Amino acid sequence: MEHAAASSVETSAIRKVAWRLVPFVALMFFINYLDRTAISFAAPNGMNADLALSAAQFGFASGIFFVGYILLEVPSNLALHRFGARKWLARIMVSWGIVALLFTWVDSAGGLYFLRFMLGVAEAGFFPGAILFLSLWVPARYRSRILALFYLAQPLTTVIGAPLAALLIQHDGAFFGLAGWRFMFFGVAIPAILLGIVAWFYLVDRPADARWLTAEEKTWLTTELERESRQKLGANQEKKGLEQAFSSGRVWALCGIYFGFIYGLYALAFFLPTIIGGFEAQFGTHFGLMQKGLITAVPYLPAAIVLYFWSRDATRRGVRSWHIALPAFTGALSVPLALYMESPAATIAMITITACSIFAALPNFWTLPTRFLDGAAAAAGVALINTIGNIAGFSSGYLTGALHDLSGGYTVPMFVVGGFMAMAGIMMLIISREPATSSRRATPHNATAGH
């Protein structure tokens, strides 16, 4: 009877966290990713022409976001650990919303570079902060499920955001005489400011402060999380805080794996609308603005479905190395194969496989760092992985554009994408064969156990 009561408290606590926090933080992520990638919708719909941007200049503008983002990533996440997620995530949202709003009036390539850099500065720390925040609310065995629900926001951003962007862009000159792509920037920036204000009052930093949990649920969550924290500290007592994160070979290996996936993710995010815009010259087809928006969204709906079921399997089995390595190799093959398809439908089908591969791996990947890091080390480790990985955000945008200009097409750039994704798969297999460590003994279901 006592066990049944404990199980009931556990189930209700996790369910409440999933319903109360995950949808809201996922909505924050949805708006975050939409503001970050809005430039990809603006580019082929007037921005590149109005600002006289080449493919390389557009790629540089896309990528320079990550310079500011990278510079402040670790400090921002440490500030979140110090001041609390509620205040810090709300501050980040309002800051990036204000910067995103200024894109409405950008009038030169230099201005675009500056605003993209400042957007990265404003957004720094949001994603790893959100990952860390959700990880601190549930025990390790539930994190794959919780992070999968959170991560659904990213593919759904394009599923919903691409047609939404097309709808806003269609209102060319209808509001204050703004060009359609300028009005689109205006329309996607305002929600960030509003939601940031709401987050200040809605989020709660820890289970003990949640009024929507019963006393029993608070006690169970707090006890479980403290027990896991003691295990990690005991297993890593010879290292502490920042030293633990920055001296861990496993953390640096995870940086490399994440780099490979993010390179593929942003190559698709920034250049897919432009590639679809080129179908007319390549295949002799013609698509309207809304049709292009819907086609851009096509790969991401199956990706959201695959993400959910792949992560559900990972939760049931425990995250295994092949939950991450197999998608990496699948994406590595599908990216270059998409170049050799003979119709728009076949090309999009192959790109869909790539999108499914990337999104299947990412939420499971993010269960790994907090399995062996805790406290300030977890904040620094998650931020470091995201920082190094997001160097791919800059290099992906810039190199894809530069290689396109040099080679006259997307063949070389997409083979480079495939190469980096293959690298991620190989590195995952390598660390899965590492001998057992003290940190691994603290997490018997560690994803790198090689199963």
Side-chain angles (χ1 to χ4, degrees):
M1 180 71 71
E2 185 177 342
H3 175 75
S7 178
S8 175
V9 169
E10 176 178 352
T11 300
S12 63
I14 297 300
R15 183 184 298 118
K16 286 183 180 180
V17 170
W19 280 105
R20 178 81 181 197
L21 293 181
V22 176
F24 187 83
V25 180
L27 178 60
M28 295 170 72
F29 185 31
F30 175 94
I31 295 172
N32 168 261
Y33 193 69
L34 182 58
D35 284 343
R36 181 184 300 189
T37 57
I39 189 173
S40 69
F41 305 118
N45 294 296
M47 185 187 74
N48 281 3
D50 290 351
L51 302 183
L53 299 177
S54 67
Q57 286 176 309
F58 167 69
F60 183 77
S62 300
I64 199 173
F65 163 92
F66 294 96
V67 176
Y69 191 87
I70 288 165
L71 289 175
L72 293 180
E73 185 83 323
V74 172
S76 180
N77 227 34
L78 291 175
L80 180 143
H81 178 71
R82 179 178 179 182
F83 298 114
R86 177 180 66 86
K87 295 178 180 178
W88 201 249
L89 291 178
R91 193 282 305 162
I92 290 174
M93 286 205 74
V94 173
S95 298
W96 100 53
I98 292 171
V99 176
L101 188 61
L102 296 178
F103 280 81
T104 307
W105 298 281
V106 68
D107 60 1
S108 67
L112 184 66
Y113 298 158
F114 175 75
L115 287 178
R116 286 290 294 177
F117 174 82
M118 292 305 300
L119 187 65
V121 169
E123 285 193 24
F126 172 78
F127 177 75
I131 291 286
L132 181 63
F133 172 67
L134 292 175
S135 296
L136 294 176
W137 271 85
V138 293
R141 61 186 177 275
Y142 291 104
R143 284 177 196 152
S144 179
R145 181 190 309 174
I146 292 296
L147 293 181
L149 292 173
F150 164 71
Y151 235 108
L152 280 172
Q154 194 165 25
L156 290 179
T157 298
T158 307
V159 172
I160 300 170
L164 174 62
L167 182 64
L168 293 172
I169 291 169
Q170 283 182 335
H171 290 81
D172 190 76
F175 294 88
F176 313 109
L178 293 172
W181 64 270
R182 294 183 184 276
F183 179 66
M184 184 269 297
F185 277 123
F186 181 89
V188 299
I190 296 298
I193 299 172
L194 298 178
L195 196 63
I197 296 171
V198 173
W200 182 277
F201 301 98
Y202 185 85
L203 294 181
V204 184
D205 285 322
R206 56 192 181 127
D209 298 330
R211 296 180 180 178
W212 38 271
L213 291 173
T214 66
E216 292 81 6
E217 290 163 349
K218 291 179 185 179
T219 299
W220 180 81
L221 275 173
T222 301
T223 301
E224 283 290 299
L225 292 167
E226 287 179 349
R227 180 183 61 79
E228 287 187 356
S229 179
R230 285 193 301 270
Q231 285 181 336
K232 284 181 279 190
L233 289 173
N236 297 283
Q237 56 187 352
E238 74 282 1
K239 299 179 181 178
K240 294 182 180 178
L242 292 176
E243 180 187 352
Q244 180 186 343
F246 282 85
S247 64
S248 170
R250 183 173 295 274
V251 169
W252 287 102
L254 293 177
C255 289
I257 295 167
Y258 191 55
F259 183 99
F261 281 111
I262 293 301
Y263 194 99
L265 174 66
Y266 283 110
L268 287 183
F270 289 136
F271 286 92
L272 181 57
T274 301
I275 291 172
I276 291 171
F279 280 172
E280 183 170 354
Q282 184 178 0
F283 299 112
T285 57
H286 176 73
F287 299 108
L289 182 58
M290 182 58 71
Q291 288 176 310
K292 290 177 183 177
L294 292 172
I295 293 170
T296 301
V298 165
Y300 293 92
L301 182 58
I305 296 170
V306 170
L307 181 157
Y308 176 78
F309 284 104
W310 192 256
S311 296
R312 185 175 178 178
D313 181 80
T315 299
R316 182 173 62 86
R317 299 174 188 266
V319 178
R320 305 300 189 215
S321 58
W322 55 263
H323 280 116
I324 299 163
L326 182 59
F329 291 125
T330 302
L333 289 173
S334 59
V335 166
L337 284 177
L339 301 168
Y340 299 98
M341 298 298 103
E342 297 182 352
S343 70
T347 303
I348 292 298
M350 198 58 63
I351 291 173
T352 298
I353 294 174
T354 304
C356 289
S357 301
I358 294 169
F359 286 107
L362 286 176
N364 297 307
F365 170 85
W366 278 115
T367 66
L368 305 187
T370 52
R371 288 178 180 267
F372 62 95
L373 297 172
D374 190 60
V382 170
L384 177 63
I385 292 166
N386 199 50
T387 297
I388 300 301
N390 273 296
I391 292 174
F394 172 75
S395 56
S396 173
Y398 180 67
L399 285 178
T400 300
L403 290 173
H404 172 275
D405 286 349
L406 288 172
S407 64
Y410 285 103
T411 301
V412 174
M414 292 304 110
F415 268 98
V416 172
V417 172
F420 277 116
M421 292 194 68
M423 177 198 74
I426 292 168
M427 291 185 70
M428 190 68 225
L429 293 180
I430 290 173
I431 67 170
S432 74
R433 285 166 171 75
E434 290 179 355
T437 64
S438 58
S439 65
R440 193 175 297 179
R441 287 195 297 271
T443 57
H445 297 293
N446 195 296
T448 57
H451 297 293

